[in-house]
Amino acid sequence: MRQLENFSSELNALLAPDIPPMSNQVIICIWRRHDDDDDLAGGAGGAPGGGDGGDGGGVPAGGEADGGEQPAAAEGGRDEPCAVTVAGLDLNHGDLAGEFPEELGLLSDLAVLHLNSNRFCGTLPESLPKLSLLHELDVSNNRLSGGFPQHILCLPNVKYVDIRFNNFCGAVPPAIFDKKIDALFLNDNHFDFELPDNFGNSPASVIVLANVNLRGCIPSSIGRMGATLNELIVLNSGVRSCIPPEVGHLGGLTVLDLSFNQLQGALPESMAWMRSLEQLDVAHNELAAYNSFCGDPERCLGLRRVDDRQNCIAGRPDQRPADQCLAFLHRPPVHCDAHGCFAPPGHY
């Protein structure tokens, strides 16, 4: 495939000579050298010019170690000081197709894996947990399918997870919100799940859950994310809930987009505490009021952008017709209080 078609076999020769080369894969690598002058001058690399090897096991000037044999390379601990390794792999917009090879797990030093905007299909390889140093995983905008890729839960150091714009389906495991992930993009898949009670355990600064199917309510645990959460986007995800008062604890939140859902009731008074908020989008819901926190949110919070169109908020422009709002008021309400969010029977 194109000009780098032989690079895969060369890479495997460096990393694992006894393993058959990956076929039909184009790989572009960011190389990282472990150069250490101290190691090269002495220690494991041998002493220079007739000197003693010291504690590092160096070779005397004669070229042989005691016993007449060259010392074996140390196992574990630090790698060979001049070893070449693959730290990053970026094939974004590469027009690549096919399934991910299991040999991907051979790149054990990989910290960055960016494969977005291709035509990869299938799911993530079983060997993914071998990438124990992986920090960023971006496989967005492909044709991946199946359930949520559970192997992501086995990556101990991953901080950036982007699997949006694929065909993943089913439930999202609650455990993903317990991982120390800083940015989580799950949007534009076929996920169908309820936000779990441990949603608020996530230390993420950015969470995007747009264009999926969320059932149930926004959990009150969201208030525990105040120290870290900067952007929350739950656009067009079928949420039929009220906005819990705990949202007011999100003091560092700058962007809140809950538009195109079925949110009911009033925006809670506690939102007056959200002094970092810059963009508030609650358009195309069934909200009835701003409560007492702010009759004019643009003046009250100094927001750069507010969109509350197509609700039932008296005194605000471009709201729903009166007959629609009257119909909303005759539905069994969703209740949010200190005990959480409760939906009436047949809510879904």
Side-chain angles (χ1 to χ4, degrees):
M1 297 173 61
R2 296 201 296 273
Q3 58 183 344
L4 297 179
E5 61 182 346
N6 296 322
F7 194 79
S8 173
S9 58
E10 295 174 7
L11 175 63
N12 276 290
L14 284 171
L15 299 178
D18 297 330
I19 298 177
M22 295 187 289
S23 60
N24 299 322
Q25 297 296 319
V26 178
I27 294 184
I28 301 174
C29 300
I30 301 172
W31 299 97
R32 179 181 63 193
R33 286 186 179 274
H34 300 289
D35 293 326
D36 191 315
D37 292 337
D38 292 336
D39 282 346
L40 291 175
D52 191 304
D55 294 337
V59 182
E64 293 185 354
D66 294 341
E69 296 182 357
Q70 296 288 338
E75 295 183 2
R78 302 183 66 176
D79 293 332
E80 296 180 21
C82 294
V84 177
T85 186
V86 182
L89 180 60
D90 189 335
L91 293 173
N92 293 344
H93 301 276
D95 195 28
L96 304 176
E99 298 185 357
F100 293 125
E102 290 298 324
E103 289 87 349
L104 194 64
L106 298 175
L107 303 177
S108 57
D109 288 324
L110 206 63
V112 176
L113 181 58
H114 290 175
L115 301 171
N116 74 53
S117 305
N118 286 288
R119 292 178 289 125
F120 288 116
C121 60
T123 189
L124 299 182
E126 296 286 332
S127 61
L128 188 71
K130 295 180 180 179
L131 306 182
S132 60
L133 301 180
L134 194 64
H135 189 271
E136 296 184 11
L137 174 65
D138 183 356
V139 292
S140 60
N141 197 25
N142 278 285
R143 301 175 182 178
L144 302 175
S145 59
F148 180 90
Q150 299 278 345
H151 300 316
I152 293 175
L153 302 176
C154 301
L155 297 172
N157 293 298
V158 70
K159 294 292 185 288
Y160 179 97
V161 174
D162 190 347
I163 60 174
R164 57 186 158 173
F165 292 102
N166 279 290
N167 295 311
F168 293 118
C169 62
V172 171
I176 194 66
F177 300 111
D178 289 324
K179 288 189 67 66
K180 295 181 179 180
I181 294 173
D182 181 62
L184 182 62
F185 300 89
L186 304 180
N187 53 291
D188 294 274
N189 280 284
H190 303 299
F191 291 128
D192 186 345
F193 67 108
E194 183 173 342
L195 286 176
D197 290 337
N198 70 326
F199 178 66
N201 293 352
S202 174
S205 62
V206 178
I207 297 180
V208 182
L209 299 172
N211 300 312
V212 297
N213 186 24
L214 291 178
R215 294 177 281 106
C217 297
I218 300 173
S220 60
S221 65
I222 191 174
R224 299 201 297 264
M225 307 168 80
T228 56
L229 191 60
N230 184 256
E231 296 186 18
L232 177 62
I233 299 176
V234 191
L235 159 71
N236 190 37
S237 293
V239 177
R240 188 180 179 195
S241 170
C242 49
I243 300 176
E246 289 81 4
V247 74
H249 295 297
L250 301 178
L253 197 71
T254 60
V255 176
L256 178 61
D257 190 341
L258 302 173
S259 59
F260 289 90
N261 286 293
Q262 299 178 61
L263 296 174
Q264 301 179 9
L267 276 76
E269 184 177 354
S270 62
M271 290 184 70
W273 306 336
M274 301 172 68
R275 293 299 177 182
S276 298
L277 195 62
E278 298 176 1
Q279 298 183 38
L280 173 64
D281 194 339
V282 291
H284 295 270
N285 278 287
E286 302 171 12
L287 296 169
Y290 274 108
N291 212 325
S292 59
F293 97 92
C294 189
D296 184 347
E298 291 179 276
R299 184 180 68 234
C300 182
L301 296 178
L303 305 184
R304 293 182 181 178
R305 180 179 182 273
V306 174
D307 191 347
D308 58 10
R309 295 171 298 157
Q310 293 300 300
N311 281 283
C312 298
I313 303 174
R316 296 294 294 168
D318 195 11
Q319 298 297 298
R320 293 181 182 273
D323 56 340
Q324 284 189 17
C325 294
L326 186 62
F328 295 158
L329 292 174
H330 283 84
R331 291 179 181 174
V334 178
H335 295 284
C336 289
D337 57 26
H339 302 287
C341 176
F342 299 91
H347 175 65
Y348 307 126

